[in-house]
Amino acid sequence: MTATVKSEKTRRLLIDSALTLFRTRGYADTTMRCIAETAGVSVGNAYYYFRSKDELVAELYRHLQDEHRSAALPLLRDGHNLGEHLRLILLANLDVMGPFHDFGAHFLRTAMPPSSASPRGTRAGADMGVGRAKSIAMFRQAVTVSRPQPPLAIRDDLPELLWLVHMGVTLFWIYDRSPGQRRSRRLVENVAPLAAKLVILSRLPVVRNIVEDVVHLFQGARRDD
């Protein structure tokens, strides 16, 4: 076994061990020492791969993002309407994240820190950028295969706007204390068709003007980023 393969195996073992402990013991009661012992590595070795529990949580969040895309992409079917595609993507995210609701707020803090905590050029900043790009690409695929097609005027910006809807639902889920986060699922069932209706209605002059104003505001904010 090469050093690189061994290193990746140890890293994966630490992530899987943390995953198991977070599920069974909860975030607060899981320490780096517990994670190291479960993985069968020294505490010092664990800190070599992850400097803190929060850093490991950020890695776990990126892993769940990958799981979300793997679960959602096969559900996107050519010819389905945009509302159905958005609904499937948002529900798939709730399914993947569901077992980790108790420390969802830690995901928010560690995986999406303020820009000053994750400056451009750092590994954390790069990882966050890659994860966001992959997620937006999933929404772009949903837009591409949807029928009817969204109006051309908003088609290019729509995937990122849908990603913002997705992040809004995720934030709602984090603070949703209803049993099984059923309110979040109800929100998805209502938001998805509403968003799709607004996209289609943007063909009408009055609605189009409003939607184009939103898009222009969004584009301006993106240029200032």
Side-chain angles (χ1 to χ4, degrees), residues 18-220:
L19 190 67
T20 298
L21 289 170
F22 287 153
R23 279 174 171 164
T24 58
R25 301 182 58 160
Y27 180 84
D29 293 332
T30 298
T31 64
M32 285 295 288
R33 179 173 294 277
C34 291
I35 294 169
E37 290 176 353
T38 302
V41 303
S42 69
V43 176
N45 203 17
Y47 277 112
Y48 172 79
Y49 289 97
F50 300 100
R51 291 173 295 180
S52 68
K53 185 170 65 172
D54 283 349
E55 189 173 287
L56 206 154
V57 170
E59 179 76 12
L60 174 59
Y61 181 75
R62 289 189 288 271
H63 173 70
L64 292 177
Q65 285 183 307
D66 288 338
E67 282 195 13
H68 176 214
R69 287 189 294 273
S70 296
L73 283 172
L75 303 177
L76 305 181
R77 295 283 187 262
D78 193 3
H80 284 191
N81 66 67
L82 182 60
E84 179 63 11
H85 283 152
L86 181 57
R87 172 181 168 275
L88 291 171
I89 289 174
L90 296 179
L91 288 178
N93 181 56
L94 296 184
D95 289 340
V96 168
M97 299 282 284
F100 309 97
H101 183 261
D102 288 345
F103 53 97
H106 296 287
F107 281 152
L108 187 67
R109 189 182 73 246
T110 61
M112 294 172 282
S115 58
S116 59
S118 181
R120 291 175 182 174
T122 65
R123 175 177 175 177
D127 286 346
M128 287 167 59
V130 170
R132 172 175 168 169
K134 287 182 178 179
S135 187
I136 291 173
M138 174 176 60
F139 285 103
R140 183 167 290 108
Q141 174 67 10
V143 170
T144 299
V145 300
S146 292
R147 299 293 182 273
Q149 275 283 279
L152 188 60
I154 66 170
R155 200 174 299 169
D156 288 343
D157 291 299
L158 186 56
E160 198 159 355
L161 290 171
L162 294 177
W163 176 79
L164 289 174
V165 172
H166 157 65
M167 296 307 296
V169 171
T170 300
L171 181 61
F172 184 92
W173 169 83
I174 286 173
Y175 295 103
D176 181 2
R177 300 302 172 190
S178 62
Q181 290 69 60
R182 62 189 178 203
R183 286 190 299 174
S184 295
R185 294 183 177 274
R186 188 163 61 243
L187 177 65
V188 168
E189 297 290 350
N190 291 323
V191 163
L194 177 60
K197 287 177 183 177
L198 287 174
V199 169
I200 299 303
L201 287 175
S202 67
R203 300 178 186 276
L204 301 176
V206 175
V207 180
R208 182 172 64 244
N209 291 338
I210 297 174
V211 172
E212 287 179 352
D213 284 345
V214 172
V215 169
H216 291 154
L217 285 171
F218 172 71
Q219 290 173 339

Side-chain angles (χ1 to χ4, degrees), residues 1-15 49 59 123:
M1 183 183 298
T2 66
T4 301
V5 172
K6 183 177 180 181
S7 177
E8 184 56 35
K9 184 177 179 180
T10 302
R11 185 180 182 86
R12 184 71 257 169
L13 185 59
L14 287 166
I15 294 171
Y49 289 97
E59 179 76 12
R123 175 177 175 177

